[in-house]
Amino acid sequence: MTLLTERVPEKRGASPRPPRARHPLRAEAVRGFAPWAGAAMTLTLVVALAAGSERWQGGWAETRDQVHTTAMLLGVPLALAAGCWQGGRERRRGTRELMATAVRGRTAAFLASALPVALWLVAGYAVATALALLATWYCAMGDRPHLGTPLGDAAVLACAALTGQVVGRLVAWRLAPPLLAAAGYVVLGVAGYGDPGSAGHLSPFTDHPSDSVPVWWQPLVTVAWTGGLTAAAVLAHTARRRTLALLPLVAAAAAGTLLVQTGDGLWRTDPLARRQVCDTSSTPQICVNARYEELLPQITRALSGMTSRLEGVENLPVRFEDRQGRPGPDEVELPMITPIGWSVVRGRLTDPEEYAWAAGMTLQGRGECDEVTPRVAAVDDAVEYYLAPSPLRRQFDEHHARGSAAERTALGERLAARERLASMGAEERRAWLSAYFATRGECDAKGVPAL
């Protein structure tokens, strides 16, 4: 038997199924002020970082520190101002009474307005940070990326946006956003570069050496400190039971106590900074800090002319070293690599000849002498000119040639000493240089061989 089903016709005029309601966060996130705030964060940080790129590009620790400094001094005030402006939106529109009658609670309404701005600001910071890391990656000199600090900074920026939102809802003044931003800049600047004592460790922005790294839990505790204070402010402003604000406040107090008590122990020296990477094919050996390992071939090439002239010479230091503190008894300090932006820019030596001249000067070891006799000065000048003359030496000589009689006499003595050293045979010159370096670092003229 065949069963026939009769199709029931749809009723005319029946209303279609209503579309699914979209979450209010979506509308806030894709339209209005929040995307513009994120774009402003990216533009501000990128412009500030690009303006001083020669000071950080190429060094991972330097990049971390520069991004951190820029995010704290410029990003946090911007986040405070953006949140404060968003917080006064209902007052400017005249919809505060209407929003108060909404079904959603005050905390939910607050978060629906504040979270999109905070998330867009964090996204803008993430874009700027990613661009900075890419700019360092192609010319990195060693070390490794440091990601703990950027993650902590992102949380601090979100907390600043939420705090600004609370202030914007409480302060009915159009000048509140710029004034709040200025106050945040001043407070962070004083805390970062001043000497506020133990309380300074509560600031998310503190100055520290570039060869240090935070302990693994430092970003987490900083987030707990700033996040706890922000959550307490939000709950105290929006929650029906304002006593709930005590819970994050207690967490913030515990985190702040830990930060203050730990103090300088929040940062430790990077293990790479204690290690040297050496080229042992020359005498003296050439060692650089392991953080700049990729720079060693360039330095070796820059000093190759000097080290080839020292082949077979005795009484030389064992190595050039590149670490903090005074060099050992058989070592001599390598010319400065840091701060980046002077002798090294974007992973390249800016002037290899000048760098070689500086290395030759450190070999003499008389840089700390208050005064030496004219004879020793002429001998030092001859050795300096033979090993690695400064590119500016000819200009100095021409200037002294037009100077006073005493300057012309001293120039004549230096030129004669240079000529005598250059005219020696190879064996004679090696013996003379061996005797010369036996007196390295002595300020007295006794024992310095004559020319």
Side-chain angles (χ1 to χ4, degrees):
M1 179 182 294
T2 303
L3 297 177
L4 298 177
T5 59
E6 185 177 333
R7 183 177 180 182
V8 179
E10 295 182 0
K11 294 182 179 180
R12 294 183 179 180
S15 59
R17 179 178 298 176
R20 180 180 299 175
R22 294 177 177 178
H23 197 280
L25 281 178
R26 184 181 185 280
E28 293 280 358
V30 299
R31 294 194 301 269
F33 176 67
W36 291 104
M41 176 66 73
T42 299
L43 182 62
T44 300
L45 297 185
V46 167
V47 170
L49 290 170
S53 59
E54 69 279 357
R55 298 193 300 270
W56 55 267
Q57 199 172 354
W60 289 115
E62 287 78 6
T63 300
R64 173 204 63 194
D65 294 343
Q66 191 65 29
V67 172
H68 172 70
T69 299
T70 306
M72 293 297 102
L73 291 182
L74 298 181
V76 168
L78 177 59
L80 288 170
C84 187
W85 180 261
Q86 181 77 352
R89 181 182 60 178
E90 279 75 24
R91 184 186 304 109
R92 293 191 302 272
R93 293 177 176 178
T95 59
R96 295 183 64 184
E97 291 77 9
L98 179 62
M99 295 298 295
T101 63
V103 177
R104 288 177 297 173
R106 294 181 60 187
T107 303
F110 176 90
L111 294 178
S113 173
L115 282 182
V117 175
L119 294 177
W120 269 105
L121 289 170
V122 170
Y125 165 75
V127 171
T129 302
L131 292 176
L133 293 176
L134 287 175
T136 290
W137 172 74
Y138 85 91
C139 58
M141 294 180 289
D143 202 355
R144 63 185 182 278
H146 303 270
L147 301 180
T149 300
L151 293 176
D153 291 346
V156 170
L157 290 174
C159 292
L162 295 176
T163 303
Q165 179 96 347
V166 173
V167 175
R169 291 192 169 211
L170 294 175
V171 180
W173 193 23
R174 286 185 176 270
L175 292 179
L179 291 179
L180 182 62
Y185 178 85
V186 171
V187 170
L188 288 172
V190 171
Y193 294 112
D195 186 17
S198 299
H201 297 290
L202 297 175
S203 171
F205 172 53
T206 54
D207 195 18
H208 55 269
S210 61
D211 62 351
S212 60
V213 294
V215 294
W216 67 270
W217 49 265
Q218 187 259 4
L220 300 177
V221 177
T222 300
V223 171
W225 160 247
T226 56
L229 292 179
T230 301
V234 171
L235 291 175
H237 174 60
T238 63
R240 291 183 179 179
R241 297 181 179 179
R242 298 190 176 182
T243 55
L244 292 176
L246 294 177
L247 296 178
L249 193 61
V250 170
T257 302
L258 182 59
L259 291 173
V260 171
Q261 290 183 348
T262 306
D264 294 335
L266 294 169
W267 293 83
R268 59 182 178 84
T269 303
D270 190 344
L272 281 177
R274 301 191 186 99
R275 186 164 63 86
Q276 300 277 287
V277 180
C278 301
D279 185 334
T280 60
S281 62
S282 63
T283 302
Q285 300 174 12
I286 301 172
C287 301
V288 301
N289 195 297
R291 295 171 57 219
Y292 309 108
E293 181 178 359
E294 300 297 328
L295 198 62
L296 181 58
Q298 291 185 55
I299 295 178
T300 301
R301 286 194 300 270
L303 304 187
S304 60
M306 182 183 66
T307 54
S308 64
R309 294 183 179 93
L310 291 174
E311 187 174 354
V313 176
E314 300 177 356
N315 301 319
L316 290 172
V318 174
R319 66 183 63 86
F320 287 101
E321 59 86 21
D322 178 31
R323 54 172 170 256
Q324 291 186 349
R326 296 180 65 86
D330 293 329
E331 299 176 334
V332 64
E333 190 171 2
L334 191 73
M336 285 196 311
I337 295 175
T338 56
I340 292 178
W342 293 90
S343 59
V344 178
V345 174
R346 297 181 180 92
R348 308 294 299 179
L349 287 176
T350 56
D351 192 338
E353 294 183 1
E354 193 72 18
Y355 193 85
W357 168 80
M361 293 293 291
T362 60
L363 276 180
Q364 295 176 1
R366 273 186 269 272
E368 297 183 0
C369 294
D370 295 332
E371 187 177 359
V372 294
T373 63
R375 184 183 74 83
V376 174
V379 170
D380 288 344
D381 176 81
V383 174
E384 168 199 331
Y385 193 84
Y386 172 72
L387 294 180
S390 170
L392 300 176
R393 175 55 63 188
R394 180 178 298 178
Q395 298 180 19
F396 291 147
D397 291 345
E398 292 176 353
H399 174 74
H400 292 151
R402 297 190 299 268
S404 62
E407 291 178 339
R408 293 196 299 271
T409 300
L411 175 61
E413 294 177 356
R414 291 197 297 271
L415 294 176
R418 295 177 195 172
E419 179 63 27
R420 286 192 292 271
L421 181 59
S423 62
M424 289 181 181
E427 291 297 330
E428 180 185 5
R429 185 163 48 243
R430 273 195 289 269
W432 187 91
L433 287 173
S434 297
Y436 170 82
F437 282 110
T439 65
R440 188 180 71 87
E442 297 181 4
C443 300
D444 193 356
K446 297 178 180 179
V448 178
L451 277 176

